[in-house]
Amino acid sequence: MTLYDLAAPGLDLRDEPRYRIAEIRAADPLAADPVLAAVPAMNADADVPALTVALRALAPTPERAAALGVVDALAAMRDLGILLGSLKRHGVQPVAAVPEVLPVLEELGRRTDMVPRDTVHHYTAWNPLGRRQRMYTGDPMEGNLQDAVRMVFPSLVAALGSCAELARREPYEAGFAHTLDRIAQQVKSMVEAIDFTIAQVSPVFFAREMRSYFEEIDVAGSDYLGPAAAQVPLWLVDLTLWQCDRGNAEYNAFLDDSVRYSLPSWRAHYQAHKGGVSAVSKLSAALSWESANRLPPRLAASAVSLARVLRILKTFRARHITIARKAYADEVRLYDAGSGGAPIELLRSVLDLTRDNETLVRRSAPVPRPRAA
């Protein structure tokens, strides 16, 4: 049992097949278990012919793919994806090597309403545990990397619901601060996950062993990134807290590209809120009408709660950029850009934006002094 399993109860009760984690993990629609168990050995030997034969053998016909339900289609894309990333790691475009897989990937993308290749969700949350776990290398540190992402999936699902609620509230309402307090508890999992990663995954291992498996592949003339951790959508939390109207051009462009790797309901959340008014802007407007020394209690509570959430996000990003710098140091890195397609400079920019917004909120609403008797 992992931390993910301890946090996940209730997800599968929602009316969303992509949250039926246990069913997706258990599914093996392509009878891929024995073939994928051999993938780490194939990768260790750089055995491109064997990987090519495996992809060709597992690929269903487009008609069979079209007959799969969403759960089985997600599992099928997961299993083909391990072979897609493995072939690209060894310098081979998988669709060029196995052309018959192209209509299958396109059909599975349509069936699941997602991009026509595997994403971070396929590689982590929807990946079986134990002896059936799909891995590129089989190294325990790769398993730890997958577990780190599994840890945050349930909390982020909950946080998106809380953020949608926050967008409907105003800083003078008691519910504004209460919702922010709930978001704070939910996003703490990101800090726990990055601490787990720092303790259990060497930056050199990621840079030298894992990074190559997350390269983009060509599908019908379009490039699609591999299952990068950058696809874990903490940015959807940023969206309603500050980013929708307080971002910058670089981060906005990154989000516009990254959102396609999300679940359909998460993409809908992005479209619904990207043109909205952020919590920081709402609070700033409310504070501008008040005296800092005599803030209404609810408004003061909203400021304190918002600053707390932003501080948690700042902490996560500071730790993330620390390990990213180690993984992409000149003497270690094999790539200039991160697995999500962004340079390290963007991480620095987003950290600065998060810090600036946290500082703005914290300084604009000082703790009120006790009143004289």
Side-chain angles (χ1 to χ4, degrees), residues 132-179:
R132 294 186 58 236
Q133 187 161 331
R134 281 62 166 129
M135 301 176 74
Y136 296 112
T137 70
D139 191 288
M141 281 196 281
E142 180 182 0
N144 291 335
L145 192 66
Q146 291 172 314
D147 280 343
V149 179
R150 287 188 182 105
M151 288 165 59
V152 306
F153 187 87
S155 297
L156 277 178
V157 170
L160 294 187
S162 298
C163 285
E165 179 182 343
L166 182 69
R168 298 189 294 268
R169 294 190 176 278
E170 297 297 330
Y172 286 100
E173 299 177 52
F176 193 86
H178 294 160
T179 304

Side-chain angles (χ1 to χ4, degrees), residues 118-135:
D118 57 320
T119 68
V120 71
H121 308 294
H122 298 82
Y123 180 59
T124 60
W126 298 331
N127 198 332
L129 303 176
R131 61 180 181 80
R132 294 186 58 236
Q133 187 161 331
R134 281 62 166 129
M135 301 176 74

Side-chain angles (χ1 to χ4, degrees), residues 4 11-14 16-29 69-76 78 125-128 132:
Y4 169 84
L11 269 186
D12 58 350
L13 299 179
R14 302 190 185 201
E16 164 58 274
R18 295 158 193 84
Y19 293 166
R20 285 150 58 183
I21 308 296
E23 291 181 43
I24 301 168
R25 288 179 180 177
D28 185 15
V70 173
V71 166
D72 281 335
L74 292 169
R78 171 199 69 204
W126 298 331
N127 198 332
R132 294 186 58 236

Side-chain angles (χ1 to χ4, degrees), residues 210-272:
M210 293 307 306
R211 173 64 180 83
S212 301
Y213 291 103
F214 305 138
E215 277 291 271
E216 72 276 3
I217 66 168
D218 180 284
V219 180
S222 296
D223 286 337
Y224 294 94
L225 294 169
Q231 295 167 8
V232 178
L234 183 59
W235 43 264
L236 286 177
V237 177
D238 290 338
L239 181 70
T240 49
L241 291 180
W242 61 270
Q243 186 274 330
C244 64
D245 58 4
R246 305 180 72 86
N248 62 21
E250 292 77 18
Y251 193 32
N252 296 347
F254 174 75
L255 298 194
D256 283 339
D257 185 64
S258 296
V259 71
R260 61 180 174 159
Y261 297 100
S262 291
L263 308 186
S265 59
W266 298 8
R267 299 198 304 268
H269 176 96
Y270 178 71
Q271 292 300 324

Side-chain angles (χ1 to χ4, degrees), residues 18-218:
R18 295 158 193 84
Y19 293 166
R20 285 150 58 183
I21 308 296
E23 291 181 43
I24 301 168
R25 288 179 180 177
D28 185 15
L30 308 181
D33 281 0
V35 174
L36 297 186
V39 165
M42 295 179 194
N43 281 325
D45 294 337
D47 194 344
V48 170
L51 290 166
T52 303
V53 169
L55 180 59
R56 184 173 289 116
L58 290 187
T61 64
E63 293 75 20
R64 185 179 167 213
L68 296 175
V70 173
V71 166
D72 281 335
L74 292 169
M77 184 68 88
R78 171 199 69 204
D79 293 347
L80 295 176
I82 289 292
L83 295 167
L84 300 176
S86 296
L87 281 167
K88 184 59 192 299
R89 183 260 178 271
H90 300 297
V92 175
Q93 281 287 356
V95 175
V98 186
E100 58 266 37
V101 81
L102 174 59
V104 175
L105 297 178
E106 293 177 325
E107 183 58 42
L108 290 175
R110 283 191 291 271
R111 294 291 300 132
T112 61
D113 193 13
M114 297 184 71
V115 294
R117 78 156 297 177
D118 57 320
T119 68
V120 71
H121 308 294
H122 298 82
Y123 180 59
T124 60
W126 298 331
N127 198 332
L129 303 176
R131 61 180 181 80
R132 294 186 58 236
Q133 187 161 331
R134 281 62 166 129
M135 301 176 74
Y136 296 112
T137 70
D139 191 288
M141 281 196 281
E142 180 182 0
N144 291 335
L145 192 66
Q146 291 172 314
D147 280 343
V149 179
R150 287 188 182 105
M151 288 165 59
V152 306
F153 187 87
S155 297
L156 277 178
V157 170
L160 294 187
S162 298
C163 285
E165 179 182 343
L166 182 69
R168 298 189 294 268
R169 294 190 176 278
E170 297 297 330
Y172 286 100
E173 299 177 52
F176 193 86
H178 294 160
T179 304
L180 283 164
D181 291 340
R182 189 164 67 247
I183 294 171
Q185 291 300 316
Q186 291 157 348
V187 299
K188 277 182 180 179
S189 66
M190 294 295 297
V191 178
E192 294 165 357
I194 203 74
D195 288 344
F196 177 83
T197 303
I198 290 170
Q200 302 294 334
V201 182
S202 159
V204 174
F205 171 78
F206 178 83
R208 293 287 182 174
E209 299 295 332
M210 293 307 306
R211 173 64 180 83
S212 301
Y213 291 103
F214 305 138
E215 277 291 271
E216 72 276 3
I217 66 168
D218 180 284

Side-chain angles (χ1 to χ4, degrees), residues 295-338:
L295 291 181
R298 286 184 177 177
L299 189 57
S302 292
V304 169
S305 296
L306 181 53
R308 182 185 300 119
V309 177
L310 292 170
R311 186 164 59 250
I312 294 170
L313 297 179
K314 181 182 69 174
T315 299
F316 165 78
R317 293 204 158 97
R319 295 178 188 178
H320 183 205
I321 199 170
T322 297
I323 61 172
R325 282 173 171 163
K326 292 178 180 178
Y328 290 93
D330 290 342
E331 66 274 15
V332 171
R333 70 184 182 193
L334 300 178
Y335 300 88
D336 292 329

